[in-house]
Amino acid sequence: MPEPSSGQDVAELLAAAQVSLGRHHKVLQALGRVFTDAGHSIYLVGGSVRDALLGRLDTDLDFTTDARPEQMKPLLAGWADALWDTGIEFGTLGVGKDGDRLEITTFRADSYDHVTRHPEVRFGDNLADDLVRRDFTVNAMAVRLDPEQPGGLGEFLDPLGGLAALQARTLDTPAEPEVSFTDDPLRMLRAARFAAQLGFTVSPRVRQALTEMAPQLSRISVERVAAELDKTLLGADPVAGVDLMVQTGLGGIVLPEVGAMRMAIDEHHQHKDVYQHSLTVLRQAIDLETDGPDLVLRWAALLHDIGKPATRRHEPDGGVSFHHHEVVGAKMTRKRMRALKYSKQMVDDVSQLVYLHLRFHGYGEGRWTDSAVRRYVTDAGPLLSRLHKLVRADCTTRNKRRAARLQANYDDLEHRIAELAAKEDLARVRPDIDGNEIMTLLGIPPGPAVGQAWNHLKEVRLDRGPLSHDEAVEELLRWWNEQR
């Protein structure tokens, strides 16, 4: 891949690309041979070139070619280990080869109706038209595959200044941003995603277009919006992406509750900037992750205080209160995530963490009983480890003594949990008598009374810990007699 320009930064980028692409030289050379022998040209393109230059290329490789789909399929059928044609109507074939996953698409020259984001698919005749229709210049670079060259790579093509934008870590559009974003408003959310994933900033004209055109996001399906939000939150620096959305107004369309945390603070009623606090909590929660990015934890960290604007009260003494903001926030979280069509499990998990995040703060006011510790663990259930991280991340005070005290209190709570877990199965607190035995002992058929008895015994179990069988029977009969 010949050097397109000079300079130390460019040399470093190209060296990173050579290393990244060198790992794939066999498949690049062989794929280039398949197409050139058939009289076609094929190019590594888009995010694959960008990621190669950044030294972060994985096993997913994107290509574009002048070959039409009906020409590609017979060419690849005998060469590929696996072939997927689910995207063939858009000119795309998926290929599995030697552990790499390749996506090969015919040159595109689509047009848009500017009502939906669905293009009228038209195949193009040249690479230049294909590149100019892409979202950002950093994704509009290409490398021709040439099986006669070392590593199977030929000419580097950068007609739109993508390499310079990559050096500057700037997102700009190949065409006017108003045209690009009108064609496909989802590209505006991609700007936030790339800010989070790659640490890029947006050019002034792109920022202006984002601000002016944010309402056009309403053309995008909520499923696609949610997918971009997830990719943003899973990035290396999701705060950068979230803040770009909020500052430009994109967040007001897709996550209005987050921007609403930027509450006005006057000199008489001081409290933390809830929005900046939430971004700090998100950063600190990420620092506590132990097994890679945790989407549930990150969502909970971002949304944990969204109930504060609705519950803010100015107290007579000049203070500010947010009573029950965790309850309100959990309801708001559930409503927003349902609107974005997240799975029931995802909605339940994130909203439950928001609901529980404040409970620990009663721990420092007096040593909890074993019953309170059991209830904390039981209510958290499988979310307990995430709740530990969220509560610790929620400490953003600059008062070092208070911060140390909060962390020490939580250390103590975790120690209490471990002590109780050593004595009893805290992960599965259940009554000491099951439903069948309840029906036998009380002589009742299945029905609501069985559930009521079961729930009473569970409450007793939480309060008193494990009971012997005789104690459980005695408690059941005592309760039943009271009910009657």
Side-chain angles (χ1 to χ4, degrees):
M1 189 168 71
E3 186 172 322
S5 59
S6 61
Q8 183 179 4
D9 291 341
V10 170
E12 291 174 355
L13 290 171
L14 291 173
Q18 292 285 8
V19 172
S20 295
L21 294 172
R23 303 187 186 103
H24 304 275
H25 72 277
K26 290 184 179 179
V27 73
L28 294 173
Q29 204 144 24
L31 183 63
R33 178 70 67 191
V34 167
F35 278 78
T36 55
D37 285 356
H40 296 292
S41 56
I42 184 168
Y43 304 83
L44 184 73
V45 73
S48 293
V49 177
R50 178 202 71 216
D51 286 347
L53 288 163
L54 292 173
R56 63 192 301 273
L57 186 64
D58 59 18
T59 57
D60 290 343
L61 305 175
D62 295 329
F63 301 87
T64 188
T65 177
D66 61 349
R68 295 296 196 259
E70 65 273 14
Q71 296 171 314
M72 282 195 283
K73 203 167 182 180
L75 280 178
L76 296 165
W79 178 77
D81 298 333
L83 200 61
W84 302 276
D85 62 0
T86 51
I88 199 165
E89 63 178 307
F90 300 103
T92 300
L93 283 178
V95 175
K97 183 66 177 180
D98 296 338
D100 286 329
R101 186 180 176 96
L102 322 177
E103 195 169 88
I104 309 171
T105 303
T106 301
F107 292 155
R108 296 272 291 271
D110 302 336
S111 61
Y112 292 79
D113 61 13
H114 296 171
V115 177
T116 69
R117 67 169 298 272
H118 302 295
E120 177 189 341
V121 177
R122 290 193 298 114
F123 299 133
D125 299 313
N126 60 79
L127 178 68
D129 288 346
D130 181 272
L131 294 180
V132 79
R133 58 168 287 278
R134 292 176 180 267
D135 53 4
F136 299 104
T137 57
V138 294
N139 297 328
M141 297 177 281
V143 181
R144 182 194 297 271
L145 298 195
D146 184 346
E148 304 304 326
Q149 296 296 322
L153 299 173
E155 184 182 8
F156 174 86
L157 298 126
D158 180 23
L160 299 163
L163 186 62
L166 194 71
Q167 284 180 273
R169 295 294 195 268
T170 301
L171 294 172
D172 204 350
T173 50
E176 291 297 317
E178 293 79 7
V179 174
S180 182
F181 296 157
T182 299
D183 281 349
D184 185 359
L186 189 68
R187 290 170 174 170
M188 293 190 283
L189 284 185
R190 286 198 197 120
R193 188 231 299 181
F194 290 135
Q197 289 179 333
L198 305 174
F200 285 14
T201 58
V202 296
S203 70
R205 69 173 191 163
V206 167
R207 178 176 285 273
Q208 180 177 347
L210 294 176
T211 303
E212 294 174 353
M213 300 179 66
Q216 293 208 31
L217 280 176
S218 59
R219 290 164 45 195
I220 307 300
S221 71
V222 293
E223 293 88 349
R224 297 299 302 276
V225 167
E228 287 298 321
L229 291 176
D230 284 351
K231 290 175 183 176
T232 299
L233 280 182
L234 290 172
D237 182 14
V239 168
V242 170
D243 199 43
L244 178 62
M245 287 192 291
V246 169
Q247 299 299 336
T248 57
L250 299 177
I253 306 300
V254 297
L255 277 179
E257 299 84 356
V258 173
M261 289 190 288
R262 296 184 299 174
M263 296 181 292
I265 303 173
D266 62 54
E267 61 179 337
H268 302 295
H269 298 96
Q270 292 294 319
H271 60 78
K272 287 181 182 177
D273 182 314
V274 180
Y275 171 67
Q276 290 297 332
H277 163 74
S278 297
L279 296 186
T280 300
V281 172
L282 175 55
R283 288 192 189 97
Q284 294 184 167
I286 291 170
D287 289 341
L288 295 173
E289 291 174 340
T290 53
D291 298 313
D294 185 335
L295 187 60
V296 171
L297 176 63
R298 294 185 181 199
W299 267 115
L302 178 63
L303 302 180
H304 76 285
D305 272 349
I306 61 170
K308 279 191 170 181
T311 57
R312 181 173 63 166
R313 287 184 56 191
H314 296 309
E315 301 295 347
D317 63 359
V320 176
S321 65
F322 304 96
H323 294 308
H324 305 302
H325 75 268
E326 75 282 9
V327 178
V328 173
K331 291 178 180 177
M332 293 172 65
T333 296
R334 187 173 292 277
K335 182 178 180 180
R336 174 53 53 195
M337 298 197 80
R338 281 177 173 169
L340 290 168
K341 296 188 178 180
Y342 279 96
S343 68
K344 182 179 183 302
Q345 187 67 57
M346 185 74 168
V347 173
D348 289 347
D349 287 351
V350 177
S351 58
Q352 182 71 350
L353 285 171
V354 172
Y355 176 70
L356 292 174
H357 84 274
L358 204 61
R359 185 176 295 184
F360 156 73
H361 291 278
Y363 187 77
E365 297 172 3
R367 189 173 176 84
W368 281 2
T369 62
D370 286 350
S371 172
V373 175
R374 289 190 194 98
R375 290 178 186 279
Y376 188 78
V377 174
T378 300
D379 289 347
L383 298 171
L384 183 62
S385 63
R386 288 184 172 119
L387 183 59
H388 288 335
K389 296 182 179 74
L390 177 60
V391 173
R392 289 186 182 277
D394 194 25
C395 176
T396 62
T397 179
R398 295 180 181 178
N399 184 316
K400 292 183 178 180
R401 287 187 178 180
R402 184 167 186 270
R405 185 172 66 252
L406 286 171
Q407 296 297 346
N409 284 344
Y410 208 84
D411 288 343
D412 185 64
L413 175 57
E414 287 201 64
H415 180 68
R416 292 276 307 285
I417 291 171
E419 284 184 331
L420 274 178
K423 300 174 184 176
E424 53 188 273
D425 185 4
L426 285 183
R428 189 176 171 175
V429 174
R430 301 177 64 83
D432 301 279
I433 298 176
D434 65 20
N436 289 327
E437 191 170 1
I438 288 172
M439 288 187 288
T440 300
L441 289 168
L442 301 183
I444 59 175
V450 180
Q452 293 166 8
W454 191 93
N455 286 331
H456 171 72
L457 290 176
K458 181 178 179 180
E459 289 297 312
V460 173
R461 169 72 172 77
L462 286 168
D463 282 337
R464 293 163 51 184
L467 304 179
S468 69
H469 182 268
D470 289 344
E471 289 173 329
V473 170
E474 181 182 351
E475 177 58 35
L476 173 65
L477 295 176
R478 184 199 62 77
W479 174 83
W480 182 246
N481 288 329
E482 284 184 0
Q483 299 306 303
R484 298 178 66 182

